[in-house]
């Protein structure tokens, strides 16, 4: 049976760099607070107006180039984002059109920071059944437009950045290569601990006050606690399924929400931080784009080599979480 192999990777981040100190224009905050609490030094923000699908396009073009594929080779597009261009339709169809494709199916998924892991699992299942051979998986976010710039928005506002990452996923018959296993979880009981509740189908827009705007909410401590526990469990089940020891994994790529979450997981498994690829200091939390951006940079830096054992894991709003075990 064929399994899914990542054959192309690409990323795009907007050129505008926003340093921690730049956020003092909106918030009572400091570089010291942000860096010590999260590991973030700067993030990228788009110049408005911008399109999430377009960010995805730039990353997808790079990924297609690396995989030596044309847009017409794509059998399915999977688009993961929490910041789509429109309330509906999803950004997947917009990307399909931007790629110059006519009827290629496009599937949007709403799994926030776990979007890439969910998308990889979906791609893997389609490839295993033989339905599709070449899948484009994109994670793209424009978050600087939903951030709350009012003083009370500082807890969430300092953490997020814009960007996109993409992977071309192809069928391979090479035994023991590609995606070996994925594990997915969610727990809607915690949906309101990290959410943007408006705009929503529960509210009639014309009844809202004039200052209508998005108000992201995050119970930071609760999210942190669950993220450490659940990502740790997701890594554990990936290791147990593959019968890998923590040490024999060449690279761990964990969702970039907070460097302290990664440190806590590294400590739990008694692993050095060098086993983990991190770039949160440069981009902040880019949600669905975080893992494919990490993978692209890790590959560019020579940290992903043929035969390497790799574990991906993510946790985010939903709550949703999961992991994937791959041999590169
Ligand atoms: N600058 C300065 N002070 C701030 C800021 C800020 N930007 N934001 C909050 N504070 C204040 C708070 O008001 C609070 O003050 P108080 O104690 O007087 O009430 C204090 O700082 C809170 O500080 P800590 O308790 O030390 O904060 P904590 O260590 O919990 O760190 C953080 C906060 C960084 C948000 C952390 O909780 C976190 O990373 N949580 C998890 C985030 C995450 O994993 N998200 C998941 C993915 S996101 C997705 O799926 C969309």
């Amino acid at each position: 049976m064929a399994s899914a192999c990542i054959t192309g990777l690409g990323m795009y981040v907007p050129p505008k760099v926003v340093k921690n100190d730049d956020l003092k224009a909106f918030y009572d905050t400091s570089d010291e607070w942000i860096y010590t609490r999260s590991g973030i030094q700067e993030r990228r923000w788009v110049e408005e107006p911008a399109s999430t699908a377009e960010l995805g396009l730039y990353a997808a073009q790079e990924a297609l180039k690396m995989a030596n594929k044309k847009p017409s080779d794509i059998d399915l597009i999977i688009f993961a984002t929490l910041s789509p261009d429109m309330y509906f339709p999803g950004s997947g169809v917009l990307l399909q059109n931007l790629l110059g494709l006519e009827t290629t199916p496009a599937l949007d998924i709403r799994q926030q920071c776990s979007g890439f892991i969910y998308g990889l699992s979906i791609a893997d299942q389609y490839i295993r059944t033989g339905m599709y051979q070449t899948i484009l998986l994109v994670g793209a976010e424009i978050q600087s437009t939903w951030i709350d710039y009012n003083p009370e928005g500082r807890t969430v506002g300092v953490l997020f950045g814009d960007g996109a990452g993409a992977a071309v996923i192809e069928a391979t018959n090479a035994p023991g290569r590609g995606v070996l296993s994925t594990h997915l979880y969610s727990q809607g009981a915690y949906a309101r601990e990290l959410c943007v509740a408006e705009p929503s189908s529960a509210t009639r827009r014309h009844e809202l006050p004039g200052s209508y705007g998005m108000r992201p909410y995050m119970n930071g401590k609760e999210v942190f606690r669950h993220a450490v526990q659940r990502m740790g469990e997701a890594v554990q089940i990936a290791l147990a399924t593959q019968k890998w020891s923590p040490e024999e994994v060449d690279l761990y790529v964990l969702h970039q929400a907070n460097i302290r979450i990664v440190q806590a997981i590294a400590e739990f498994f008694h692993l050095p931080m060098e086993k983990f690829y991190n770039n949160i200091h440069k981009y902040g939390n880019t949600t669905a784009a975080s893992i494919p951006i990490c993978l692209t940079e890790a590959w560019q830096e020579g940290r992903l080599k043929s035969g390497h054992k790799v574990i991906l894991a993510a946790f985010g709003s939903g709550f949703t979480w999961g992991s994937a075990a791959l041999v590169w």
Side-chain angles (χ1 to χ4, degrees):
M1 188 198 291
S3 63
C5 209
I6 297 178
T7 56
L9 287 164
M11 62 174 279
Y12 174 80
V13 287
K16 182 177 164 189
V17 177
V18 179
K19 301 226 171 251
N20 287 346
D21 275 336
D22 297 334
L23 300 174
K24 289 200 229 165
F26 323 104
Y27 303 129
D28 177 12
T29 191
S30 65
D31 176 50
E32 198 267 335
W33 192 96
I34 299 169
Y35 183 64
T36 54
R37 297 303 202 291
S38 70
I40 299 167
Q41 290 176 316
E42 58 189 45
R43 72 286 292 137
R44 303 299 182 93
W45 282 1
V46 294
E47 309 271 4
E48 293 175 54
S51 150
T52 305
E54 230 173 83
L55 263 56
L57 172 72
Y58 303 145
Q61 284 168 333
E62 254 197 43
L64 287 165
K65 199 165 145 202
M66 176 176 157
N68 204 15
K69 292 279 166 194
K70 305 182 295 299
S72 56
D73 295 322
I74 301 166
D75 298 321
L76 171 73
I77 294 168
I78 304 174
F79 201 110
T81 186
L82 61 64
S83 49
D85 295 69
M86 297 187 233
Y87 191 85
F88 71 82
S91 295
V93 294
L94 305 181
L95 174 62
Q96 185 245 34
N97 188 45
L98 288 170
L99 284 165
L101 298 170
E102 283 187 13
T103 58
T104 306
L107 170 67
D108 278 67
I109 55 171
R110 301 283 311 271
Q111 267 58 37
Q112 298 65 253
C113 299
S114 313
F116 189 81
I117 303 280
Y118 267 74
L120 188 63
S121 184
I122 294 167
D124 185 38
Q125 307 316 307
Y126 273 127
I127 284 173
R128 281 176 194 276
T129 62
M131 182 153 171
Y132 297 125
Q133 273 70 51
T134 306
I135 297 175
L136 174 66
L137 170 59
V138 173
E141 306 286 358
I142 294 180
Q143 315 197 87
S144 53
T145 50
W146 61 253
I147 285 168
D148 180 1
Y149 292 94
N150 291 298
E152 61 273 20
R154 66 179 181 173
T155 315
V156 177
V158 300
L159 301 176
F160 290 89
D162 302 337
V168 173
I169 301 162
E170 290 186 72
T172 175
N173 287 312
R177 299 302 285 265
V179 178
L180 303 185
S181 59
T182 56
H183 291 88
L184 307 178
Y185 307 90
S186 62
Q187 196 168 20
Y190 294 99
R192 289 192 176 270
E193 300 301 332
L194 174 52
C195 65
V196 175
E198 297 289 346
S200 87
S201 54
T203 319
R204 291 180 197 281
R205 191 169 175 169
H206 68 268
E207 289 172 3
L208 289 166
S211 61
Y212 174 80
M214 293 164 94
R215 288 282 181 274
Y217 170 76
M218 178 170 74
N219 181 346
K221 284 198 190 306
E222 186 77 347
V223 174
F224 191 99
R225 196 171 62 79
H226 283 262
V228 171
Q229 185 192 330
R230 296 310 199 177
M231 263 206 284
E233 289 170 3
V235 168
Q236 185 71 69
I237 196 161
L239 290 169
T241 305
Q242 297 312 323
K243 301 190 171 51
W244 291 346
S245 70
E247 296 76 24
E248 74 181 286
V249 172
D250 295 285
L251 193 67
Y252 291 84
V253 179
L254 268 48
H255 169 60
Q256 302 287 287
N258 188 322
I259 197 70
R260 291 188 298 140
I261 295 175
V262 182
Q263 284 163 345
I265 290 169
E267 261 169 49
F268 179 82
F269 288 102
H270 306 291
L271 291 168
M273 279 300 274
E274 292 69 47
K275 283 263 185 198
F276 294 78
Y277 191 86
N278 292 300
N279 57 17
I280 191 167
H281 56 289
K282 292 192 285 185
Y283 307 125
N285 182 349
T286 56
T287 303
S290 153
I291 289 181
I293 288 178
C294 280
L295 286 174
T296 305
E297 290 198 331
W299 183 79
Q300 287 168 349
E301 291 167 21
R303 291 191 61 186
L304 282 173
K305 293 211 169 27
S306 182
H308 271 182
K309 292 173 178 160
V310 179
I311 286 190
L312 316 178
F315 177 90
S317 158
F319 292 155
T320 58
W321 66 98
S323 63
L326 297 81
V327 170
W328 205 254

